[in-house]
Amino acid sequence: MKQVRKRLTYANVMSSIAVFLVLGGATAVAAGQLGKNSVGSKQIKKNAVTAAKIKKNAVSGAKIKNGAVNGAKVKDGSLTGSDINLGTLGTVPSANTANTANTAKKTDQVINIFFRGNEGSGPQTILNVAGLTLTETCESSNEIDATTSVAHSVVDVVTAQDNDYDADIDFNPGETFDIDMGHGQGPTEMYTAQYTTPSGTNVVIIWHDVDANEGPVFPGTPEQSDCLVSGLAYVS
């Protein structure tokens, strides 16, 4: 120890410290000037990279693994309609109900029937819907004929006054159905008829007609000298 103390002079100590500082500084500089691509995932401590250390907008969609972001990783309420491809969404049950209601509103319709003609004016079309055509002929005997353009349709009619009934359960193009059954009895008659196609379209018709020269429609009114047909057709 005495030999060491003799050699441990002020100059020796200072020179040793200087060497230590130089070597330590070089190591720090080397650590601060790492080579390109020299630090990999193995050199990064777990959880060492935080959000604060990531440059804004540095992470793009190409850097995110497919399926890595799921619903649990998306903030509630952060996605809006503009962020979602609406074409990928199915139809929810309530929307199907709404679509059905809208279809019904567009398909169902009520058609007003009103025709007044002079005797001898010849056949006149008073209704044309869903393949059904009603033709009025104003002669000495008022007559309404039905024809169809839809094969295997069904048509039936009943009168309110005398409760007569007639039907054609296989009504086809080229056939004629006497839908007012020869007009029944009296100057005016009320009818109800239904026409149905194989596709399920229904036409319900309620109407009354007055024959030419059949006398007054109501007691105390002038004699009817022409043909009158009025009513409604409901299509569904």
Side-chain angles (χ1 to χ4, degrees):
M1 289 295 293
K2 290 181 180 180
Q3 294 297 325
V4 173
R5 288 177 181 175
K6 288 180 180 180
R7 297 184 180 184
L8 193 60
T9 65
Y10 176 79
N12 289 337
V13 172
M14 294 306 294
S15 62
S16 297
I17 292 173
V19 171
F20 176 78
L21 292 175
V22 169
L23 293 176
T27 302
V29 171
Q33 296 180 350
L34 298 174
K36 186 176 180 181
N37 299 324
S38 62
V39 177
S41 58
K42 292 182 179 180
Q43 281 75 37
I44 299 176
K45 183 179 178 180
K46 187 176 181 180
N47 298 324
V49 180
T50 63
K53 293 183 172 63
I54 300 176
K55 183 179 179 181
K56 186 177 181 181
N57 299 324
V59 180
S60 62
K63 293 182 171 63
I64 300 175
K65 182 180 178 180
N66 289 339
V69 179
N70 54 32
K73 293 182 172 64
V74 179
K75 183 180 178 181
D76 290 345
S78 62
L79 298 180
T80 64
S82 60
D83 299 316
I84 300 173
N85 182 358
L86 300 180
T88 63
L89 301 178
T91 304
V92 297
S94 59
N96 279 330
T97 302
N99 288 337
T100 302
N102 288 335
T103 302
K105 290 178 182 178
K106 293 177 182 178
T107 303
D108 295 0
Q109 57 179 314
V110 176
I111 302 174
N112 182 51
I113 300 173
F114 186 86
F115 171 78
R116 184 189 297 273
N118 296 322
E119 182 179 359
S121 59
Q124 301 288 327
T125 299
I126 61 174
L127 180 67
N128 189 356
V129 62
L132 174 68
T133 300
L134 299 186
T135 304
E136 158 76 11
T137 302
C138 185
E139 300 292 351
S140 58
S141 176
N142 194 18
E143 182 177 340
I144 302 178
D145 292 327
T147 57
T148 182
S149 61
V150 182
H152 308 300
S153 297
V154 176
V155 62
D156 58 65
V157 61
V158 62
T159 63
Q161 182 170 316
D162 49 22
N163 205 32
D164 283 347
Y165 176 81
D166 194 12
D168 187 342
I169 60 174
D170 192 21
F171 190 34
N172 291 293
E175 299 177 1
T176 299
F177 181 79
D178 186 7
I179 203 167
D180 65 349
M181 297 181 292
H183 186 66
Q185 300 174 354
T188 183
E189 183 67 272
M190 184 71 70
Y191 302 85
T192 301
Q194 180 169 341
Y195 166 80
T196 306
T197 67
S199 64
T201 300
N202 285 288
V203 181
V204 177
I205 313 165
I206 301 174
W207 83 98
H208 80 273
D209 65 28
V210 180
D211 274 351
N213 301 316
E214 281 282 359
V217 178
F218 302 105
T221 61
E223 182 174 328
Q224 187 71 33
S225 60
D226 55 6
C227 301
L228 173 65
V229 180
S230 64
L232 294 172
Y234 176 73
V235 186
S236 63

